Amino acid sequence: NAEADPSQTAQLGPLFSLDTFIVNLADVERNRYLRVTMDLELVESSDTAKLDDRLPQVRDRILMILPSKTFEEIASVEGKTVLRNEIIGKLNSLFPRTVISDVFFTEFVVQ
């Protein structure tokens, strides 16, 4: 049987797309900027309304995190994972329960 075992397939939650962020990085020796676009994976589809209601705070939290990073901190896969986890934690702190289960970077460019 060629069908995939459903228990082996992770179910993707509803996605909430954010507008692109363009920020200066914290590098002192060189001016660099980060252009990043991300989708938030939500726990439940009803969480979309919660994010819509808190979108200014969501964008603010992300805009407080991104410019504090240096190129070295976000250049590696490990660095991007740390950034992803920090964003998830800060955004979920806006809500009484976990609303965001993952962050997917759909664009990540440093210049």
Side-chain angles (χ1 to χ4, degrees), residues 9 20 36 64 102:
T9 306
T20 299
V36 62
M64 297 308 286
D102 209 346

Tab-separated table of all heavy atoms in Angstrom, residues 9 20 36 64 102:
chain	number	residue	atom	x	y	z
A	9	THR	N	2.526	11.578	9.603
A	9	THR	CA	2.449	12.870	8.943
A	9	THR	C	2.008	13.933	9.941
A	9	THR	O	0.940	13.835	10.521
A	9	THR	CB	1.433	12.813	7.774
A	9	THR	OG1	1.789	11.726	6.925
A	9	THR	CG2	1.452	14.093	6.974
A	20	THR	N	6.210	41.809	5.320
A	20	THR	CA	7.667	41.758	5.387
A	20	THR	C	8.206	42.791	6.372
A	20	THR	O	7.706	43.904	6.452
A	20	THR	CB	8.248	42.009	3.983
A	20	THR	OG1	7.772	40.982	3.113
A	20	THR	CG2	9.761	41.995	3.990
A	36	VAL	N	12.914	40.094	6.232
A	36	VAL	CA	12.379	38.787	6.599
A	36	VAL	C	10.860	38.791	6.473
A	36	VAL	O	10.197	39.757	6.839
A	36	VAL	CB	12.835	38.362	8.018
A	36	VAL	CG1	12.334	39.316	9.066
A	36	VAL	CG2	12.405	36.950	8.353
A	64	MET	N	10.958	44.601	18.067
A	64	MET	CA	11.868	44.777	19.198
A	64	MET	C	12.954	43.694	19.196
A	64	MET	O	14.054	43.915	19.692
A	64	MET	CB	11.109	44.744	20.529
A	64	MET	CG	10.103	45.878	20.701
A	64	MET	SD	10.794	47.519	20.417
A	64	MET	CE	11.744	47.736	21.900
A	102	ASP	N	4.412	27.565	15.700
A	102	ASP	CA	5.662	27.593	14.940
A	102	ASP	C	5.737	28.877	14.135
A	102	ASP	O	4.728	29.554	13.920
A	102	ASP	CB	5.766	26.378	14.006
A	102	ASP	CG	7.206	25.965	13.739
A	102	ASP	OD1	8.137	26.747	14.047
A	102	ASP	OD2	7.415	24.862	13.203
